[in-house]
Amino acid sequence: MHSLVFLCARRLVSYCPGARRALDLLPAELYPVLFQAAFLDGRTLALRDLVGTWPFPVLSFQRLLGHRGRRSLLEEKPSKLCVQAIILAIVAHLRRVLEEPCRGTSERRCRLRVLDMTGLQDDDTDRGPEGMSLWSGTVALAKACIEVSKHQSECLKRGSKRRKGPSGASAALQPVGVEVRADLFVNGTSYGVLRDALQTGAAGPLRLKCRDFHAEELSVAGTVSLLESLEPAGVRRVDLRFNNLGLGGLCAVLPHLARFTDLLSLKLPYSNVDVRRLTAGTDAGLRCLATQLGRLPCLKELNLGSSRLSGKLRQLLGDLQAPLESLELAFCYLLPGDLAFLSQSLHAPALRKLDLSGHDFSENLLQPLRHLLEETSASLLHLDLMECRLTDARLEALLPALCRCSRLRCLGLFGNPLSTPGLKTLLRKTLVLPDLRLVVYPYPVDCYIWEPPRPPSASDHFFEDVLDEERFAAVSAELCRMLVSSGRADAVWTASLCRHGALDYFAL
């Protein structure tokens, strides 16, 4: 429910869009609630005027938009037009300062020094074309930095022609800059504009400072160039995915991460590392990779998903000096010895998030997994075992160890061949876990209609499985009734991966 102040602010920004002079009559304390109302209702002209006269040194998206009920405005409505309006307001403010550094005016002057845009979500599934993705936000910020830097150069050239003397124009035309803190996402399409923005704007009036850096489909040289251009302070995550770096590429990139002394999270999924393809440089490459990981003293999260690391986990993680709290090893072709190493390592009692999806937990791996869960039981909050060929019998054998994880909040089991009775057993047994609030379960095998093969053709499979929607709806409703009757109506049991995708280590 909105407060009376918020409702009044909403009415004001709807009646007075773009009325900069009216803002001079309002106390500075009303700016935050006016900003919230304008952002929620998409009042772009009001946003530009609010930001252009912002009376505080900091404007933080998270602080202003991140705590309204159960979902933040950043998740509900990160409008592209609103974000663009804010960026344009910053550019306009800096252009004014550059052009008239000594201007006297009766207008309220903008005191903004830090614009914190971190926290913009990058899930476009339910946002529509009007939403602001992380990629488009990065491009908009990069272009703004380049534009302001160019305008500064033009002003300095004009000033040098008008002014004479030893001091020159530079001293008179140096504006008070704005630092923009943001999460950046770059791929091959946007690489050039971000590189130019980081290199030309490093000492300019509009400076980009990265918190989380995401790069996709970049070359080794391109990745290194951007990492070297980032200001190291404040970078907490580097996510390099789908870059096809290989073991040699990772060994070339990782030394450039040592300067990020605050780095907590390193994600390297889909890096095309396969230790089973033994070459002359494989062992040397693994030693190099392990050494570089060991030089990241603050590292708490590591994602090596879809790398084939069979039998090499001890070697890769052996140089880490502090325990990991999040470890993602989905589809890594691990062996029993790898799980045994994890169980005995310094990481096991500290792990809060563990992803072992894509492994075949048959008899060969099931016992090592049980032992690992026992060792992580005091700390584990989030466990993913998706597409692990867990049948009813294997899951039941795992349940005693699973139920010892007393702090577990999220369990991912999508893609396993479980039946409706198996899911009901899972629900009943896990009622002892008081914090379990999200379970992503598979469509039960008995909810499929298995059709006989038709005469084969180029586009046909030999047999087809079709989900019986009506039967699955009945199962879903029955699970909900069981939760309600057990006093756990607040728990979410779902077969939707969309609910699962929002979970993140920093949100645990």
Side-chain angles (χ1 to χ4, degrees):
M1 183 178 295
H2 296 303
S3 68
L4 180 59
V5 174
F6 181 84
L7 294 175
C8 291
R10 170 177 274 179
R11 181 65 62 90
L12 181 62
V13 297
S14 66
Y15 281 160
C16 304
R20 176 180 289 245
R21 293 183 181 275
L23 294 176
D24 291 335
L25 305 175
L26 298 176
E29 290 76 12
L30 289 179
Y31 268 65
V33 69
L34 288 168
F35 182 91
Q36 291 172 352
F39 195 96
L40 179 62
D41 292 344
R43 306 291 181 180
T44 55
L45 293 178
L47 279 173
R48 289 185 68 167
D49 286 344
L50 285 164
V51 175
T53 57
W54 194 253
F56 308 107
V58 177
L59 195 164
S60 169
F61 277 31
Q62 286 281 16
R63 193 177 304 164
L64 293 175
L65 306 173
H67 303 286
R68 296 187 60 82
R70 296 184 65 182
R71 287 173 63 85
S72 73
L73 297 184
L74 293 180
E75 294 173 304
E76 292 177 355
K77 200 173 183 180
S79 162
K80 179 185 293 185
L81 292 178
C82 288
V83 176
Q84 287 175 336
I86 293 166
I87 296 172
L88 289 173
I90 299 296
V91 171
H93 159 64
L94 290 174
R95 287 176 68 98
R96 286 195 302 270
V97 175
L98 283 165
E99 291 170 357
E100 302 180 57
C102 300
R103 180 179 61 174
T105 178
S106 60
E107 291 183 357
R108 173 174 284 162
R109 297 300 299 239
C110 178
R111 298 180 180 177
L112 186 63
R113 300 294 176 265
V114 176
L115 173 63
D116 189 343
M117 293 178 57
T118 57
L120 285 176
Q121 301 297 310
D122 197 36
D123 180 10
D124 294 324
T125 55
D126 58 357
R127 182 177 298 164
E130 296 182 356
M132 173 66 87
S133 69
L134 199 56
W135 182 89
S136 56
T138 299
V139 171
L141 283 172
K143 289 181 177 179
C145 289
I146 294 171
E147 178 184 344
V148 174
S149 293
K150 287 181 178 178
H151 193 70
Q152 182 188 37
S153 298
E154 293 169 0
C155 289
L156 289 171
K157 289 178 182 178
R158 291 198 300 266
S160 64
K161 293 178 181 180
R162 293 195 301 264
R163 294 175 176 84
K164 295 181 179 180
S167 61
S170 300
L173 286 173
Q174 286 297 331
V176 175
V178 174
E179 176 185 288
V180 180
R181 299 172 185 171
D183 302 326
L184 303 179
F185 181 97
V186 60
N187 58 17
T189 305
S190 58
Y191 164 76
V193 67
L194 181 59
R195 177 203 57 202
D196 293 346
L198 291 172
Q199 293 177 355
T200 62
L206 188 59
R207 301 180 300 277
L208 272 179
K209 187 171 182 179
C210 180
R211 184 187 68 165
D212 294 351
F213 178 75
H214 307 261
E216 264 187 22
E217 299 176 344
L218 293 184
S219 66
V220 171
T223 303
V224 169
S225 175
L226 290 180
L227 290 175
E228 286 295 300
S229 299
L230 292 175
E231 182 181 337
V235 177
R236 69 171 190 177
R237 167 175 285 166
V238 171
D239 185 349
L240 309 176
R241 60 181 59 218
F242 302 112
N243 293 296
N244 200 31
L245 296 173
L247 191 55
L250 288 178
C251 290
V253 167
L254 259 61
H256 299 274
L257 299 180
R259 53 197 291 267
F260 301 121
T261 56
D262 300 324
L263 190 69
L264 295 170
S265 171
L266 177 60
K267 290 176 169 282
L268 303 169
Y270 310 104
S271 291
N272 193 26
V273 173
D274 188 350
V275 301
R276 302 175 305 175
R277 296 193 301 238
L278 292 177
T279 64
T282 299
D283 283 339
L286 288 172
R287 287 195 300 271
C288 172
L289 188 56
T291 299
Q292 297 304 326
L293 290 175
R295 291 176 179 170
L296 304 174
C298 296
L299 194 65
K300 294 296 181 184
E301 178 176 47
L302 180 62
N303 182 342
L304 297 171
S306 297
S307 291
R308 291 160 174 80
L309 305 177
S310 309
K312 301 297 183 179
L313 210 55
R314 181 187 299 273
Q315 183 176 352
L316 277 176
L317 304 185
D319 288 347
L320 292 176
Q321 302 301 309
L324 295 169
E325 295 182 359
S326 175
L327 183 58
E328 298 179 66
L329 298 169
F331 299 93
C332 283
Y333 295 82
L334 298 181
L335 301 178
D338 296 311
L339 295 187
F341 158 72
L342 276 183
S343 300
Q344 301 161 7
S345 71
L346 76 167
H347 311 293
L351 282 174
R352 305 171 72 201
K353 181 177 180 179
L354 178 63
D355 187 351
L356 295 173
S357 298
H359 290 92
D360 182 1
F361 285 109
S362 59
E363 293 303 319
N364 205 25
L365 281 177
L366 195 59
Q367 180 56 35
L369 175 61
R370 281 201 298 252
H371 188 204
L372 177 58
L373 290 180
E374 290 171 358
E375 296 299 319
T376 63
S377 59
S379 60
L380 197 62
L381 305 178
H382 180 162
L383 175 64
D384 274 329
L385 297 173
M386 297 191 289
E387 298 186 33
C388 287
R389 301 187 184 181
L390 287 172
T391 60
D392 291 355
R394 291 172 185 170
L395 182 59
E396 190 166 2
L398 197 61
L399 276 172
L402 186 64
C403 290
R404 291 185 60 180
C405 301
S406 57
R407 300 177 61 195
L408 195 66
R409 298 178 190 171
C410 173
L411 176 62
L413 292 171
F414 191 86
N416 288 293
L418 301 176
S419 69
T420 297
L423 289 177
K424 291 181 178 179
T425 299
L426 173 67
L427 191 151
R428 285 193 295 266
K429 293 292 183 69
T430 54
L431 289 173
V432 300
L433 301 175
D435 296 330
L436 187 60
R437 291 292 180 268
L438 176 62
V439 176
V440 184
Y441 62 87
Y443 297 110
V445 291
D446 49 290
C447 288
Y448 283 98
I449 302 171
W450 299 90
E451 298 182 354
R454 295 176 294 176
S457 68
S459 60
D460 279 345
H461 299 290
F462 284 104
F463 53 85
E464 298 178 352
D465 54 301
V466 179
L467 182 67
D468 187 326
E469 300 283 355
E470 185 175 349
R471 190 182 302 174
F472 174 69
V475 172
S476 181
E478 176 63 18
L479 294 176
C480 288
R481 284 193 293 270
M482 292 175 64
L483 289 169
V484 171
S485 64
S486 303
R488 299 294 294 275
D490 57 336
V492 175
W493 281 57
T494 178
S496 171
L497 287 174
C498 294
R499 301 291 295 271
H500 184 268
L503 296 172
D504 182 77
Y505 163 69
F506 290 113
L508 288 175

